[in-house]
Amino acid sequence: MNSKPFLAIVFAGLMLSACSARYQTPVAVGGDDDDAVCLGRGNAQGSPEYVACRKDRDVQRNAATARADRRQRDLGEYMLNHPERP
């Protein structure tokens, strides 16, 4: 049995699976469950402190996503403007 086609399919699958993780929560946020984190800080669910904690986590997540998008865009622009460098 020739294993080259099988290896090519496995390799292609691995490459494509890496693309699926692009829009997941950035690692900088921690990826923790917001509810568990805010409850773990001693905030009762529904309290003003709990609501503020959830809002803060949303702001942190959105900022981390915006930074990642900006870095990706800057890298693309750099690559377009400097085609002589690999």
Side-chain angles (χ1 to χ4, degrees):
M1 179 177 174
N2 193 354
S3 64
K4 287 184 181 182
F6 176 74
L7 290 175
I9 291 172
V10 170
F11 185 67
L14 287 173
M15 288 179 17
L16 290 174
S17 68
C19 296
S20 67
R22 171 66 181 100
Y23 291 104
Q24 290 180 350
T25 303
V27 176
V29 175
D32 298 328
D33 179 30
D34 291 345
D35 188 51
V37 169
C38 292
L39 289 175
R41 292 180 181 169
N43 302 323
Q45 195 167 16
S47 69
E49 293 83 11
Y50 177 85
V51 173
C53 176
R54 293 293 299 255
K55 285 182 182 180
D56 289 343
R57 303 240 340 139
D58 285 340
V59 167
Q60 290 173 356
R61 184 179 301 106
N62 291 337
T65 301
R67 280 192 308 272
D69 289 344
R70 190 175 333 119
R71 280 191 220 117
Q72 185 70 29
R73 186 181 62 245
D74 291 346
L75 176 62
E77 288 176 5
Y78 176 82
M79 291 171 69
L80 285 172
N81 294 328
H82 299 91
E84 68 281 354
R85 295 183 181 216

